[in-house]
Amino acid sequence: MTTRVLVTGGAGFIGANFVLRTLVTRPDVQLRVLDKLTYAANPETLSAVADRVELVQGDIADAELVDRLVADTDLVVHFAAESHNDNSLADPSAFVQTNLVGTYTLLEAVRRHRVRFHHISTDEVYGDLELDDPARFTEQTPYNPSSPYSSTKAGSDLLVRAWVRSFDIAATISNCSNNYGPYQHIEKFIPRQITNVLSGIRPKLYGDGRNVRDWIHVDDHNDAVWTIIDHGTIGETYLIGADGEVDNRTVVETILELLGRPADAFDFVTDRPGHDRRYAIDSTRLRDELGWRPNYLDFRAGLSATIDWYRGHTDWWQPGKAAVEAGYAATQQITG
Ligand code: NAD
Ligand code: TDX
């Protein structure tokens, strides 16, 4: 039987990878994307599959549209969000509207039509860890978000939990660490630095460059999402991570080396206000209870493949490059 899946945010980085991968791995699934096509979306990403995926341009906070689409689906996979911390510090309003009001709007439709819901969230809801702390985040870690972005994601998670408990909706939640891979917007750290080097611009490291992120390939994230949809317990939260802790300076040095540049050909710039020091995920629950395992175990090899992708897809990213760098230059000074 065909499963009708509504993918919110399916023209963005992780959502589009989810759509493209699902078309290959799940021939029984019929996909429809609801996406506002904000600056973060690139409709080009889905152009090659336009005959197989319906793209509805619209806002997840549009109650009438959302009700109509949810009434006609079996499962909602909710990726849509304002997703960039730096933007949330410059102007939080769209983050409150989309991440909180948008998620609320979806939950009300799911409640009315009794549709299965999977909510995509982030490890940033747990705040940060010290560099030398042996602890990692687990499903029991208390919420302690730092930025307007992460606090609105935390709020959206809590809305989902409340709708499960109060209204008995069939929902699961996943909180994943930092994703990398093809089709990621060039405002984000890894694609920004790759496309900087490819454009003859020196990579830019915030603060002292020692902040740690726990990298996971986007395909491993999306495989975990399907594992949770298929086998997860309703009402539960699962952390997704691939033991990929690397500090930012090492990431930049590796990109420079893979592109044949000197490892010190980067600049330090003004730090991000409230910059989280370290994220680290303990994904034992997902592995032990649901049997998920990551396939990308070699970060350097995954990064190298990602560099190749950006090198081979200049048409996809080059038109927006100058504007992204001009935006950063307006707020960030070189410090070293
Ligand atoms: P992205 O910014 O690349 O894509 C977001 C998509 O949502 C875009 O296509 C955008 O047009 C769409 N969108 C934004 N507002 C909308 C609205 N009001 N209505 C409909 N569509 C709207 O983000 P991403 O990196 O792909 O992240 C996807 C999800 O995964 C987010 O919920 C994010 O919090 C979560 N997440 C991301 C990461 C990461 O490393 N990128 C890690 C963990 C969790
Ligand atoms: O130019 C840069 N230089 C730099 O040093 C940029 C853009 C970032 N950084 C640093 C800040 C972070 O320590 O790199 C790290 C990663 O930055 P981002 O790509 O902005 O990601 P982060 O803030 O960690 O959040 C990401 O992972 C969790 C996603 O954007 C979120 O949507 C997700 O929830």
Side-chain angles (χ1 to χ4, degrees):
M1 215 182 83
T2 303
T3 307
R4 298 164 302 166
V5 181
L6 180 66
V7 182
T8 72
F13 165 47
I14 306 175
N17 275 287
F18 180 85
V19 166
L20 296 173
R21 193 161 174 77
T22 300
L23 284 172
V24 175
T25 58
R26 303 258 167 163
D28 54 322
V29 162
Q30 182 189 311
L31 291 163
R32 180 187 259 175
V33 166
L34 170 59
D35 198 299
K36 191 177 176 180
L37 301 183
T38 70
Y39 81 94
N42 191 336
E44 276 305 299
T45 310
L46 295 181
S47 58
V49 297
D51 57 333
R52 286 190 288 160
V53 179
E54 184 190 353
L55 173 58
V56 179
Q57 181 173 4
D59 192 328
I60 55 165
D62 177 342
E64 190 269 326
L65 172 65
V66 163
D67 188 77
R68 192 154 42 81
L69 294 173
V70 170
D72 189 32
T73 198
D74 303 307
L75 162 70
V76 177
V77 188
H78 175 34
F79 293 94
E82 285 292 336
S83 68
H84 193 34
N85 274 297
D86 291 329
N87 293 344
S88 84
L89 294 160
D91 180 4
S93 59
F95 289 75
V96 172
Q97 178 62 22
T98 287
N99 300 355
L100 289 168
V101 179
T103 301
Y104 156 77
T105 306
L106 285 163
L107 287 169
E108 283 293 81
V110 160
R111 172 188 173 197
R112 271 191 297 277
H113 298 290
R114 312 312 297 173
V115 165
R116 175 83 168 84
F117 187 75
H118 182 75
H119 179 63
I120 305 291
S121 193
T122 169
D123 58 357
E124 297 191 20
V125 301
Y126 299 113
D128 64 350
L129 300 160
E130 294 300 330
L131 295 181
D132 60 357
D133 189 338
R136 300 193 292 172
F137 301 137
T138 72
E139 288 79 2
Q140 279 70 48
T141 304
Y143 275 36
N144 187 27
S146 314
S147 72
Y149 163 68
S150 53
S151 61
T152 56
K153 290 298 292 186
S156 69
D157 294 7
L158 298 181
L159 290 175
V160 178
R161 289 183 185 195
W163 261 242
V164 168
R165 170 134 179 189
S166 302
F167 305 124
D168 204 26
I169 66 163
T172 39
I173 300 174
S174 54
N175 297 80
C176 188
S177 60
N178 285 60
N179 285 218
Y180 72 97
Y183 303 107
Q184 186 168 27
H185 194 283
I186 55 167
E187 69 187 353
K188 302 295 192 326
F189 178 56
I190 286 180
R192 182 183 181 204
Q193 312 315 338
I194 293 172
T195 57
N196 275 351
V197 178
L198 294 177
S199 309
I201 301 168
R202 287 162 70 90
K204 302 286 181 276
L205 272 174
Y206 294 175
D208 63 4
R210 290 298 177 201
N211 300 60
V212 168
R213 296 296 182 264
D214 189 352
W215 294 101
I216 182 172
H217 193 276
V218 63
D219 286 346
D220 281 335
H221 179 183
N222 282 326
D223 287 352
V225 168
W226 270 120
T227 299
I228 296 163
I229 291 166
D230 287 340
H231 305 294
T233 302
I234 295 301
E236 293 296 313
T237 289
Y238 298 87
L239 265 54
I240 306 174
D243 300 334
E245 283 188 68
V246 189
D247 71 50
N248 293 339
R249 183 175 176 152
T250 303
V251 173
V252 161
E253 288 172 347
T254 309
I255 290 170
L256 284 163
E257 192 200 320
L258 287 167
L259 283 167
R261 305 292 200 286
D264 62 353
F266 61 81
D267 298 323
F268 288 106
V269 296
T270 327
D271 205 359
R272 172 185 285 171
H275 193 178
D276 281 342
R277 198 61 168 154
R278 170 175 160 250
Y279 305 135
I281 289 266
D282 178 346
S283 59
T284 302
R285 178 179 201 192
L286 180 63
R287 293 171 192 241
D288 286 1
E289 290 184 19
L290 306 188
W292 171 85
R293 295 281 183 282
N295 290 313
Y296 287 81
L297 301 175
D298 181 345
F299 177 65
R300 190 186 164 86
L303 194 55
S304 178
T306 304
I307 289 173
D308 287 345
W309 188 87
Y310 281 91
R311 223 188 329 223
H313 292 79
T314 45
D315 290 356
W316 188 88
W317 58 266
Q318 225 161 31
K321 181 65 182 170
V324 168
E325 287 311 305
Y328 277 126
T331 55
Q332 295 171 358
Q333 278 76 48
I334 293 176
T335 55

